Amino acid sequence: MPSSQPIGVFDSGYGGLTVLKSIVEKLPGYDFIYLGDNARAPYGNRSFETVYQYTREAVEWFFSKGCPLVILACNTSSAKALRTIQQQDLAASATPNRVLGVIRPTTEIAGLLSKTGQVGILATQGTILSQSYVLEIKKFFPEIKVFQQACPLWVPLIENNEHQGAGADYFVKKYVDALLAQSAQIDTVLLGCTHYPLLLDKLRAYFPAHIQLVAQGEIVAESLLKYLKNHPEIDGRCSKHSDLSFYTTDDNIDFDRHSSYFYKSAIRSERVFL
Ligand code: DGL
């Protein structure tokens, strides 16, 4: 086998770095490559066809880099492209490589977290309209009631590093209030977009204290650990030298500077064209 067979971690931009951070903490021995499609982000308001096409191009790029496994650490890609890639593209090419998303691991445990049986989802417009969270939670916990709220302005605020400023409060409160107005019984809120952990301080301030806010990083990392244990045929193909490399489809200097908000340790990325 080639000496480097890293696990690929994909996001439309920076948000997936919040998931990568938890994955690397949980699986420190593995090799990883991260790709942010910054040149074409945000994905949140784009059509199904566009998100599918962009995500498929990214997956092909990861496979060309030797990745046996790719994690779509982007809810929008997981919601709009994952199923077609798994059921159509991977099946047609008969590749042994696999692609996983972040919605299933999160929905698998959503019902265990809520005592009232009412769960809120905050996500991009695309993820909300896809109904992926509602449908997946129903599969695992048919009795759970799900309330959704799209937050289309949060990703642009975060990508422009305006999320900690006073200007962000208006839009944070607006979407939080819109979710809370749907039911007074919600006790668990899933952050269904990898960017949103950066808003945690502000979200905590606008949600009542009894409501738990759930970010995905650790959930996805735990689920990946289990997946690799249950799939030795994939685990055996993943190289393990603790290597970590970063790629972006836009300016790499800009990516390195900006990524510190999301990853906390210095990043040196390379630019690629998909
Ligand atoms: N971070 C992505 C997600 O988890 C979306 C960001 C975007 O709109 O591109 O959905």
Side-chain angles (χ1 to χ4, degrees):
M1 87 177 185
S3 63
S4 177
Q5 299 215 116
I7 296 175
V9 178
F10 175 68
D11 187 63
S12 58
Y14 300 103
L17 291 168
T18 62
V19 175
L20 177 71
K21 199 167 175 302
S22 301
I23 291 179
V24 171
E25 274 165 23
K26 183 73 70 188
L27 298 158
Y30 288 73
D31 297 343
F32 295 97
I33 54 176
Y34 181 88
L35 173 66
D37 191 8
N38 298 77
R40 305 189 290 194
Y43 281 13
N45 298 328
R46 295 194 189 277
S47 68
F48 170 90
E49 289 75 17
T50 303
V51 174
Y52 165 59
Q53 183 204 322
Y54 289 176
T55 308
R56 196 190 55 195
E57 286 169 7
V59 166
E60 280 165 10
W61 178 84
F62 279 113
F63 287 174
S64 78
K65 301 291 280 183
C67 298
L69 178 64
V70 178
I71 311 296
L72 302 182
C74 173
N75 287 271
T76 311
S77 288
S78 299
K80 292 188 155 187
L82 179 63
R83 186 178 294 256
T84 315
I85 288 172
Q86 285 176 331
Q87 295 182 354
Q88 195 175 295
D89 301 327
L90 299 189
S93 68
T95 173
N97 299 339
R98 291 292 171 260
V99 181
L100 304 173
V102 289
I103 293 181
R104 189 178 171 132
T106 316
T107 54
E108 267 175 3
I109 61 153
L112 306 175
L113 301 172
S114 172
K115 291 197 174 68
T116 60
Q118 302 211 1
V119 172
I121 311 291
L122 297 169
T124 65
Q125 184 90 359
T127 300
I128 297 297
L129 290 178
S130 75
Q131 297 288 326
S132 297
Y133 272 95
V134 178
L135 297 170
E136 286 287 320
I137 290 176
K138 201 151 252 10
K139 271 190 221 157
F140 299 112
F141 305 99
E143 72 290 358
I144 293 281
K145 273 193 160 176
V146 181
F147 301 88
Q148 304 197 94
Q149 179 59 44
C151 314
L153 284 161
W154 287 1
V155 169
L157 279 171
I158 295 165
E159 294 265 323
N160 289 292
N161 196 26
E162 290 289 341
H163 55 288
Q164 280 160 339
D169 285 81
Y170 174 82
F171 286 109
V172 171
K173 183 172 178 333
K174 176 179 169 138
Y175 301 139
V176 168
D177 286 350
L179 179 67
L180 293 175
Q182 296 180 45
S183 167
Q185 301 303 314
I186 295 171
D187 69 347
T188 303
V189 172
L190 303 181
L191 306 187
C193 172
T194 52
H195 281 67
Y196 297 175
L198 274 83
L199 283 173
L200 259 175
D201 289 346
K202 283 203 191 292
L203 290 171
R204 206 46 296 162
Y206 288 109
F207 274 109
H210 71 277
I211 295 187
Q212 55 177 334
L213 304 179
V214 182
Q216 294 175 303
E218 283 174 28
I219 298 169
V220 172
E222 186 59 41
S223 161
L224 177 58
L225 182 70
K226 272 198 206 126
Y227 178 87
L228 291 168
K229 275 197 185 129
N230 293 334
H231 293 84
E233 75 290 359
I234 297 288
D235 186 52
R237 291 174 57 219
C238 296
S239 54
K240 300 171 184 85
H241 312 107
S242 305
D243 287 342
L244 183 55
S245 42
F246 296 87
Y247 297 85
T248 173
T249 55
D250 209 339
D251 186 285
N252 56 312
I253 307 288
D254 204 38
F255 183 87
D256 297 352
R257 200 177 314 123
H258 206 81
S259 55
S260 60
Y261 310 127
F262 296 81
Y263 201 70
K264 305 290 180 225
S265 42
I267 281 176
R268 192 163 283 208
S269 65
E270 228 176 275
R271 186 176 195 167
V272 290
F273 296 89
L274 297 183

